Amino acid sequence: MIKSNAHRGAYIHIPFCDHICHYCDFNKVFMKNQPVDEYLDALAKEMQHYREDGLPETIYIGGGTPTALNEVQFERLFIDIQKNLVHSSVREFTVEANPESLNEEKLEIMKRFGVTRLSIGVQTFDDHLLQEIGRAHKSADAANAVKLAQTHGFDNVTLDLMFALPGQTETSLHESLERAIGLGTPHISIYSLQIEPKTIFYNRMRSGKLRLPGEDIEADMYGQIIFELEKHGLHHYEISNFAKPGYEGIHNSLYWQNEEYYGIGAGAHGYWKGVRYANAGPVKKYIERVHAHGHARTSEHPVTVTEKMEEEMFLGLRLMKGVSTSHFREKFGVPIDQIYGTQIARLQEEGLLTEHHGRLSLTRRGIFLGNNVFEAFITS
């Protein structure tokens, strides 16, 4: 019997962008001529719908580009969130921001409405690479945005970086890491570039016009990242995330710990009451569905017990602390070895998985071959 869990988060999606980056496959649209005010109306209505099921412990506004909203729209968004979702026990309130659209007025709005954490999309401090990947800001803009946020009292700032970019060298990566570390933020997220369908980079790759670092260079870059960030006191707590103690991302940790969360907004995905769901992606369709039903779900999938166990493993193993064997038994009513004994033994023999103090976690080698480990637990 699976026990219910009180932990929950709320993800709110703002799909609007002033430009489209070459690698981005998230649900997004150009800001110009979009029904932004009508979209905010629908967001407020969908928040009301989920409020009836209980208030979240974490709130995360992502995109798209949330800071692409103008100041009036931006403030209105936070008024609606405060009315419907904010309460005294919110543990973390995060907003994604782009350097070119973050200003003093928006920082003051976020401070006034209780935002506790900013996630600033920097990607790289190499101006040539920023142009190559279609970003609208320069490296100086990114540094200035971080400093501006810090002067407005935001001490919990995370930098979002990328590596294995087209034409990126290990020297360029090292220089970006040095610039990032020098800004003194307590959290850095850094992801390798993934080429996804329906992106500019995907089309370039198919036509042979995209030059990417090979797998060996990408692995070397990842090793360099781990070494440099840990050397400067940012501990490696998740495959792609590094933080000073006490600054680990709480909202994203809900995902990795397989907890439930509301997905609010066009194209948002949620996991609630044992059901994974997806909202309508097109903005106008999203607005229509919310006004008709109170929510915008277009697909729902009740997660089976087997799937929940699989997710517990491949999500939990992203965390360096790994998966608790006692928690697994408490949650699912069976010992972990009864379900995954064969896979665990094989991965331990291959040097990819280890068990220590009742927790299964990736070895150093396993961190570099994480996908091989995760795939071993997908049986359904």
Side-chain angles (χ1 to χ4, degrees), residues 283-304:
V283 170
K284 289 183 179 177
K285 185 176 180 182
Y286 166 78
I287 293 170
E288 290 169 2
R289 288 191 69 85
V290 170
H291 286 303
H293 307 288
H295 63 80
R297 298 184 186 189
T298 54
S299 68
E300 295 182 337
H301 173 70
V303 183
T304 66

Side-chain angles (χ1 to χ4, degrees), residues 31-89:
M31 185 81 157
K32 189 175 181 182
N33 298 324
Q34 290 294 328
V36 179
D37 291 329
E38 291 90 339
Y39 182 80
L40 294 176
D41 286 339
L43 269 187
K45 189 175 182 67
E46 194 181 14
M47 288 180 213
Q48 292 168 12
H49 173 80
Y50 287 110
R51 177 186 175 88
E52 296 174 5
D53 281 335
L55 297 171
E57 293 185 350
T58 63
I59 301 170
Y60 190 109
I61 307 176
T65 310
T67 50
L69 298 173
N70 65 36
E71 288 77 7
V72 173
Q73 294 162 343
F74 201 61
E75 182 170 29
R76 180 188 166 189
L77 170 66
F78 285 96
I79 289 171
D80 289 333
I81 292 172
Q82 184 179 63
K83 186 184 300 181
N84 291 294
L85 299 178
V86 173
H87 58 104
S88 60
S89 297

Side-chain angles (χ1 to χ4, degrees), residues 28 30 41 155 233 282 296 305 314 350:
K28 75 283 181 185
F30 281 111
D41 286 339
D155 60 346
V305 173
F314 70 73
E350 293 174 0

Side-chain angles (χ1 to χ4, degrees), residues 10-191:
Y11 172 80
I12 300 167
H13 191 71
I14 305 298
F16 308 114
C17 292
D18 290 320
H19 66 281
I20 304 298
C21 300
H22 297 170
Y23 55 84
C24 182
D25 73 325
F26 294 120
N27 191 51
K28 75 283 181 185
V29 292
F30 281 111
M31 185 81 157
K32 189 175 181 182
N33 298 324
Q34 290 294 328
V36 179
D37 291 329
E38 291 90 339
Y39 182 80
L40 294 176
D41 286 339
L43 269 187
K45 189 175 182 67
E46 194 181 14
M47 288 180 213
Q48 292 168 12
H49 173 80
Y50 287 110
R51 177 186 175 88
E52 296 174 5
D53 281 335
L55 297 171
E57 293 185 350
T58 63
I59 301 170
Y60 190 109
I61 307 176
T65 310
T67 50
L69 298 173
N70 65 36
E71 288 77 7
V72 173
Q73 294 162 343
F74 201 61
E75 182 170 29
R76 180 188 166 189
L77 170 66
F78 285 96
I79 289 171
D80 289 333
I81 292 172
Q82 184 179 63
K83 186 184 300 181
N84 291 294
L85 299 178
V86 173
H87 58 104
S88 60
S89 297
V90 168
R91 299 169 61 200
E92 183 186 81
F93 189 169
T94 304
V95 179
E96 289 182 357
N98 274 5
E100 72 276 8
S101 56
L102 185 64
N103 59 30
E104 289 201 35
E105 190 169 350
K106 290 173 187 174
L107 285 164
E108 288 168 0
I109 290 169
M110 288 188 283
K111 201 69 181 174
R112 180 155 40 93
F113 284 94
V115 172
T116 61
R117 183 172 181 264
L118 293 183
S119 180
I120 299 181
V122 175
Q123 316 314 347
T124 175
F125 284 94
D126 182 320
D127 282 335
H128 172 71
L129 285 177
L130 285 170
Q131 186 175 10
E132 283 291 305
I133 65 177
R135 297 293 285 180
H137 71 271
K138 298 288 182 68
S139 60
D141 300 326
N144 290 337
V146 173
K147 292 172 184 174
L148 187 65
Q150 290 168 333
T151 60
H152 279 73
F154 287 96
D155 60 346
N156 192 356
V157 175
T158 181
L159 302 185
D160 285 337
L161 301 176
M162 298 178 73
F163 70 101
L165 298 170
Q168 187 177 36
T169 64
E170 291 181 64
T171 299
S172 169
L173 174 62
H174 175 72
E175 290 170 353
S176 276
L177 290 173
E178 282 194 324
R179 292 281 301 277
I181 291 164
L183 289 169
T185 65
H187 192 288
I188 291 176
S189 299
I190 182 160
Y191 296 88

Side-chain angles (χ1 to χ4, degrees), residues 230-281:
E230 288 192 330
K231 185 175 74 174
H232 288 87
L234 293 159
H235 75 97
H236 191 194
Y237 75 96
E238 190 271 344
I239 290 280
S240 302
N241 286 272
F242 301 77
K244 293 179 181 176
Y247 286 92
E248 298 84 357
I250 301 173
H251 179 85
N252 285 344
S253 291
L254 293 180
Y255 302 152
W256 304 318
Q257 292 166 359
N258 205 19
E259 305 289 2
E260 296 191 334
Y261 58 94
Y262 307 137
I264 298 169
H269 290 246
Y271 179 32
W272 187 238
K273 293 183 177 178
V275 174
R276 290 200 180 274
Y277 65 87
N279 279 354

